[in-house]
Amino acid sequence: MTDRPFPRLRRTLSAAVTLLAVLIIVPSVPVVLAIVVGLPIPRPFDASTVFAERGLFDLVVVIVWVLWAIHLVLLIRATVTQLRHDHPDPRTPHYINRLAVRIAGACMAVAAVVAGTSLSAGAAPTSTVAVAAPAPPNATPTTSSSAASTAPTPAVASPSVPPVTPASTASTYTVEEGQSLWIIAEQLYGDGENWQLLWQANAGRTMDDGLVFTDPNLIYAGWQLSVPSTTSDPPPATPAPSETVAPVTAPSDPQPATPDPPPAASATAPGPTSTPTTTAPHDQAPSRQGAPANDSTVPARHVAAHPSVRRHADDPHRYELPELAALGLGALCAALLAAAALRSRRLARRHRLPGQTTRARTERAESIEADLAAFTAVPLPDLVGYGFSHLTFALAGQEHTAPRIRLVRVGPDGLTLVLAEPTTEAPGAFLSGADGYAWVLPAAVEVTTLPGAHDTEPWIAALVPAGESAAGTFLVPVEPGAVVPLVGTNAPSVLAAMRTVAQAWAWTGDRLHVVTTPEAAREALALLGNPTFLEERGRVLYLGDPEALDPSTRAQVGTVTTEAASATDVTVVCDPTVTTIQPFGLSLLPAAVDDDMARALDELAVPPEVVDEQQPSEARRTSAGDAGGETTPAAFPEPAPVEVRVLTPVPRIEGATGTAPEHREARAIELLAYLALHGHAIPPYEIRAETLATRTGEGSAHTMRLVAAALRQWVGAEHLPHADRAGGYQSLDVSTDFGRLQAAVQRADAVSDPDALVALLRPALDLIEGAPASRVGMGWGWWGPQFEALAANAATDAAHLLAPLLAERGDGRGARWAIDQARRLDPFNESLFRLAIECASRVGNAAWIDRELQACEAMIEDLYPGASPTAKTYDAYHVAMAQFSVRPGPTGDG
């Protein structure tokens, strides 16, 4: 592969200049202090001199020198922390950490250049190096059975191996040993942040070795990845192998990787006197010493890792995506938490009425939710949920007692259940493995079509994560009466992760009650009653001291505790860098969260409060005011010469006279949308932190200037003048469809003429083309916290004003269109279903009334299994159906 030399040269020169500046400034500070304020030479202080002019000056000298020494120590410590990829000390001042990041990046970049130069000069490397060489278009893809590095992560490659610009059509890429999604995205697109494009194009695909790409943090050498272009278009569902880019391992590689066993999903069976263990194809679970089980090579290019990715102390060759490193959890847990956060937002929308909005979350919670959004497409939760529901359905028809499940693993080969005793055959779609000691549901099975997958309770409701390895994520079942002790210094953090993930399962609250006090455990048991084993598998998971429970309660709940207790079967040993599951002897990367992270995740799991909307925010007023030129209050706002369309899955700019930038189009659209929506000057630091931010921090000033320059050439300098030092960047004569929608709804409040109201609101709702930015590869994390609720409110208000008016005129089709347009922005608002029922009643369409109630019930069931629409919705249904002399339907539970 070849790289563009100039960006790399600029980065190298910038790093060298940064290091040179530090080397010059740090020693020069003492010299300047000695010249300006003098040396802190001890002087005798007594009552006559301490308050004299000279004494006070000497005191100032001492204070200045002490402050310099403190800052120097803090800077050195923060730089070492960044080089070691540890979490920065929150007590260190922010400007010290920012300077340390730049110094660490400069050191690593210069070290990478020096290392690359020495290798190219023929210096003997200390470890095996796999060098990627350019491959012709018709080259045969190379394959390898050894596992690649298990986490998408950037690495500083040799300067002679630049990135490849992908073709406009999708091509394929062969993964080589030691690579990851981040490394591949950095080589193909020049930016590791674009790993999400590769993931979206390949998620759920079955590879040639029979494994399924279910975890973006886990890829294997020899896999063929579809490579989409960098445009905003959605990736193709299936790869179009028009071109193969195959990295070739250098023939001088002295130690090829040891081949792995053939890809057959299995679990090693425990013998009569042996300890049961689980294995998987390409298993690279780190040992207690941290070395991968079958990794015989150490790629030297991993020595200089990108500072945005956390390196595990127990395994120097294992990395994580920045999002997963920040969360402290694996892809399965991240997907569960992302679904829970999305579900909580939808639950809040369900009860929102016109004129109401949801209260904003804290900044930390919003940031974590933006990181979680990348994992919404991970199919692992569906594999677990539908797989266990199918297992319940399959076991219900068997007469013999099902064996106890000791451990669960979810990986690229599927769902593996480790059993306490062997069985002769597996139920349903499961396959028998490990001499009957394991049941395996292959990942290639379409779990949504399995019998009982949708309408059966899960066989195991209480599942808590222990950690992950290259084989996948390991979960511990906690059935009634079981006690799982957590021991070790990291036990509280592991318990916090288990609690947050247990609360994120789709069936939590219905079939699973997670409690932390003995009183809550007794109340949860009372709610569940005394169900039979197969018919109702409700469970209570108690996180606390089992000695605080009475014997009857202890026998009916599953317990996870950090207190000293006897294990029923499994003990989890929690060290800071590795988690061990005994008696299996499995050493895993821990699933752990700190207290601050746990509080933020708890906030995401709870629906935000619905409150009455106050006066329009500055953003809403300015965006509405920028909708167009001078118009009468009843007229529909016209667009400005340049308009940003944001109420669409792929935002775009209309009215631009220049040429769109080839490589920065998506960033330029996002920047102009951010400026136009706010309507006032935005400081550069806010732009870098919002629209140009990466997963690891704010964007650089250099990137901001490049994007602004490209945007200025595209739309014209008159619409994006140069930044004002006092205020920042600002757009002029640029409107947004969102602003025009809001302006139309605000003007509708002063309109009494029905014809004028229709003429105002029809084109306003017609601006909505779909969920905003729902098909972009990355970015737009600021839209949800700032504008999502405002856009949904405006669309809902417009529908409530327009749909009844059209239905009163007998235009049922138009009323339904208005409601459907609002649902594009607010699909989980129950008031829109009531509005549709009322409009259907006005046009006399009983079938429409029934469909709306059924759709509302399905929506509520999808959000919260077992729940029903509110009594207000059923009342509207009964009133609507009364005109047809039909027996009243369901009443609901309120």
Side-chain angles (χ1 to χ4, degrees), residues 435-520:
D435 297 329
Y437 275 93
W439 290 341
V440 180
L441 180 65
V445 173
E446 184 57 52
V447 292
T448 58
T449 62
L450 294 177
H454 294 276
D455 53 3
T456 310
E457 304 299 339
W459 180 257
I460 297 179
L463 277 173
V464 293
E468 61 173 0
S469 72
T473 300
F474 288 81
L475 304 159
V476 178
V478 190
E479 291 287 42
V483 176
V484 179
L486 307 181
V487 299
T489 57
N490 204 35
S493 297
V494 173
L495 181 65
M498 289 181 172
R499 180 181 59 82
T500 56
V501 173
Q503 293 173 338
W505 293 107
W507 52 79
T508 300
D510 180 30
R511 307 313 312 157
L512 175 64
H513 297 264
V514 181
V515 297
T516 58
T517 63
E519 295 77 12

Side-chain angles (χ1 to χ4, degrees), residues 795-857:
T796 302
D797 291 349
H800 276 273
L801 290 171
L802 180 61
L805 182 60
L806 296 178
E808 194 66 33
R809 295 180 173 184
D811 186 3
R813 186 187 299 270
R816 185 180 305 176
W817 170 86
I819 296 171
D820 289 341
Q821 287 295 97
R823 282 174 176 162
R824 289 188 170 191
L825 301 185
D826 206 0
F828 300 95
N829 193 326
E830 192 175 343
S831 70
L832 290 176
F833 289 93
R834 288 196 296 271
L835 176 63
I837 291 174
E838 295 170 3
C839 292
S841 174
R842 296 190 182 191
V843 298
N845 191 332
W848 184 10
I849 297 173
D850 278 330
R851 286 197 305 269
E852 289 296 334
L853 181 64
Q854 293 171 7
C856 183
E857 290 175 333

Side-chain angles (χ1 to χ4, degrees), residues 589-665:
L589 299 174
V593 297
D594 56 29
D595 293 339
D596 291 340
M597 179 70 70
R599 282 192 292 269
L601 293 174
D602 290 341
E603 182 183 354
L604 291 178
V606 178
E609 183 183 1
V610 177
V611 296
D612 292 334
E613 191 173 5
Q614 303 298 321
Q615 292 296 324
S617 64
E618 183 179 3
R620 175 165 179 172
R621 289 197 302 269
T622 53
S623 60
D626 289 342
E630 293 294 333
T631 56
T632 59
F636 177 67
E638 294 298 329
V642 174
E643 178 166 271
V644 188
R645 300 297 297 269
V646 296
L647 304 180
T648 176
V650 182
R652 64 184 184 272
I653 295 177
E654 296 182 349
T657 57
T659 303
E662 182 178 357
H663 300 295
R664 298 186 176 91
E665 180 178 354

Side-chain angles (χ1 to χ4, degrees), residues 113 144 530 595:
V113 172
S144 171
N530 188 21
D595 293 339

